[in-house]
Amino acid sequence: MDFVLIQFLTGLSSASALFLIASGLTVIFGVTRIVNFAHGSFYMLGAYLAWTIVRAFWDWGGREPYLFVAGVIVAAIVVSLIGVAMEMTLLRRIYRAPELFQLLATFGVVLIIQDATLAIWGPEDLPLPRPPWLRGFIEIAGSRFPRYDLILAVIGPVVLGLLWLLFHRTRFGVLVRAATQDREMVAALGVDQRKLFSGVFFLGSALAGLGGALVLPSQSANLQMDLSIIAEAFVVVVVGGMGSVPGAFLASLLIAEVQAFGIVLLPKITLVLVFLVMAAVLMVRPYGLLGKPQAHARAQSGMVEPVLRPAPPILAWAGIAALALAASTPFWAGAYALTVLVELAVFVLFAASLHLMMGPGGVVSFGHAAYFGLGAYGAALGLRYLALPMEAGLVMAPLFAGLFGVVFGVFVVRLSGVYLAMLTLAFAQIVWAAAFQWVDITGGDNGILGVWPSAWATNKSVYLWLSLALCIGATMLLRRFVFSPFGYGLRAARDSELRAEAIGLDTARLRLVAFTIAAAAAGLAGGVYAYAKGSVFPTYISIPKSVDALLMVLLGGVQTVTGPIVGAIAYHGLFVGILQTTQYWRAALGLSIVLLVLAFPLGIAGFARARWERAKGLEAA
Amino acid sequence: MLTVTGLNAFYGRAHILHDVSLEARAGEVLVLLGRNGAGKSTTMKSIIGLVRPAQGSSITFDGVEMAGRQPHEIARAGLGYVPEERRIFTDLTVMENLAVGRQPPRDGLAPWTPERLFAIFPNLGRMQDRPGGRMSGGEQQMLTIARTLMGNPRLILLDEPSEGLAPVIVEQMADAIAKLKAEGLAVVLSEQNLHFAARVADAAVIIEKGAVRWQGTLPALENEPEVKAQYLSV
Ligand SMILES: Nc1ncnc2c1ncn2[C@@H]1O[C@H](COP(=O)(O)OP(=O)(O)OP(=O)(O)O)[C@@H](O)[C@H]1O
Ligand SMILES: [Mg+2]
């Protein structure tokens, strides 16, 4: 019994921290409809700033508790000002951009903050010195429980109470609740949205900063805090219902307790467990525990998806020329160029497969790396356990990924918008966690080595030709698919679900088929990649990998079929050519993302097409 | 008071309003008449700024140009908007819904308070703490008007206030509009129900396929059976 109590209390204290972060995220989402990836970075900044500020206060006035509290509050306020600065300089310009662009822009900020933190505070973990009052224990049911953790456990409910007062007893709070339901109506009633949005970012970022500062004594400030917390915070927000603060509270309790007991009972699958809970909740309640479907979210924007058109002949010829050039590289370039080209071919297919879902399918997958990774692992596991040769491995890769695509897809295609993006992310995290934690089978972090091509393909030139044939061939098949009757049906389902069903299309099935094909294609890309590298690792499935794919598609433009191809080449070129040469490549990449989103809300190919059409006078007068 | 000239509006590439012009005068009730999909709601949304008027459109309110401004600026200038779908904040109580609409008092007008509004809409006074989501359609319609009045507008745009309401409630609505007019407010309402319009309105504009087809006083409209037959489903 004691053990249960102690685990329960441990769960409560981590629930508090989780709630602080998730409540800020959910309030920001509720009002601005922005999924703020940088929220985890604000949490991290809270910890680092508290480390500096609290220590400065202590140096000045002794290691007193009240100076700790003061330092924590100052840190939270500094973080909230940074949040407001981001809202005013960046997000304010892109509130009308598609959801995904906003998400990517905030991911750009994540990268920038990561490098800025590294530059300011260095790579070491920074623990806060712990005076005796921070180290104390309390006797509970015969066991010693850290006193600070008990204080943390109380802070969560206290903050919930304060937020309740704010939202019910102040005009700002009432406006926030109203705007969470229908911000356009709030504007039509004379409320300046910009002030409301800045206010919400102030509040939300302060909560994130507070959370980071408060966990500092029991954890230490480190550079992994941002992405590790953001995935969990997303889960809490989605499970609780986006925009619902009480929902975030319930969900953080649920998730934290699942973790507290999971780590004891099933230590191998805690991560999987968290995401399974999320998937289970979303299946029963698609909008989370206390969430509601979002009416009026985008209904009035009047955006119309442009028609996809086959490439003009000149573009087709350019493509053939580029392919011929790539295939001829072995005759005039060195080994490094061949390696880069293989990767390029892989990423073109990877991006094109994501594009099939995002563009014509209208399904924005946030975890597309899962299928890439499943393909790679499919080939590697086939080799390890069935001794499959490369030829069979390359068949195995798309099959394995496609199989998971069907299973996950069944759940995914029932949702839409942010919930869908989050569920795909959750599935990807499950796959990642399995690859990472299930060491006996997958080798965990060490991956699976020795995944080499068959003898006839070991020559780099031959493998390049093989990659080009497979990847570019599959990409062309995907394009054919977009312009087939099936592709038209898919686009009809995206543009108007009701009308598509009225003419007898089974929209969910159309999407499921597209999802599966996209997964299989990504799996093939993963398989080709695995044999090119000779190894597979869990990083193939990580969040940054999924973001890579999104960036490639968005860089090229979702609204053209050529987009992902151009995007993959541009992204990879940018990455290999410029970014890897600087020490602060993350910040450089982040800044590029932010600038690209600001400059080309339609992507490069979309921008080029708009130019081209305008030049030809196709633009409607 | 409100002068719209050459208003054009688009949804994406679809051209919805074609050179709509109309004028609403202080102390008068103007009704926009037209069948489903004629463009009445779009006209109102363009005036309040929820739909962006195309280049060249002009919407002046007391001589000040409103076209191209943000909705909150237009609302603060004294234009109140009551949407067709009501758009009550369902999680908020009646009092909270009213609080969202509250704006500073305006010169020359007695500011609206919840008490004064409950005098016009007695039902609301009896359910001050009820969440908007648990009210009947008629009560919600009252609330959405009351909420907009909290902004102390000098002109109020009412999009189909009688739609979907029981006859008794429609009567109450007509009384309420008469009271607003007596308070000195200008009212622009959209309607398909000619009988209701005839009860409350002074002047009418008939819209069909996004263009103005007829305008004049209501008595004048009564004498034009062909116009009524052609553009209205009477
Ligand atoms: N969000 C939108 N996107 C695209 N077209 C729209 C949109 N809203 C309205 N329309 C179209 O604009 C035209 C005018 O619509 P509007 O709502 O202004 O008509 P209305 O006169 O208010 O009709 P009702 O009496 O049914 O309310 C219609 O053809 C309608 O289909
Ligand atoms: Mg209408």
Side-chain angles (χ1 to χ4, degrees), chain A residues 422-449:
Chain A
M422 292 299 124
L423 189 67
T424 51
L425 177 72
F427 281 135
Q429 288 302 94
I430 292 177
V431 175
W432 176 82
F436 186 75
Q437 285 187 323
W438 204 4
V439 181
D440 304 345
I441 304 288
T442 62
D445 212 9
N446 297 326
I448 299 174
L449 307 180

Side-chain angles (χ1 to χ4, degrees), chain B residues 138-182:
Chain B
E139 290 158 357
Q140 289 194 346
Q141 186 66 59
M142 307 283 172
L143 179 56
T144 180
I145 296 174
R147 179 178 68 179
T148 298
L149 288 173
M150 285 295 285
N152 299 306
R154 295 193 302 129
L155 181 147
I156 186 164
L157 302 160
L158 291 177
D159 201 351
E160 296 207 35
S162 73
E163 194 186 10
L165 299 185
V168 197
I169 313 284
V170 173
E171 283 303 305
Q172 289 180 18
M173 194 58 70
D175 289 342
I177 291 173
K179 280 184 194 151
L180 297 185
K181 185 179 157 188

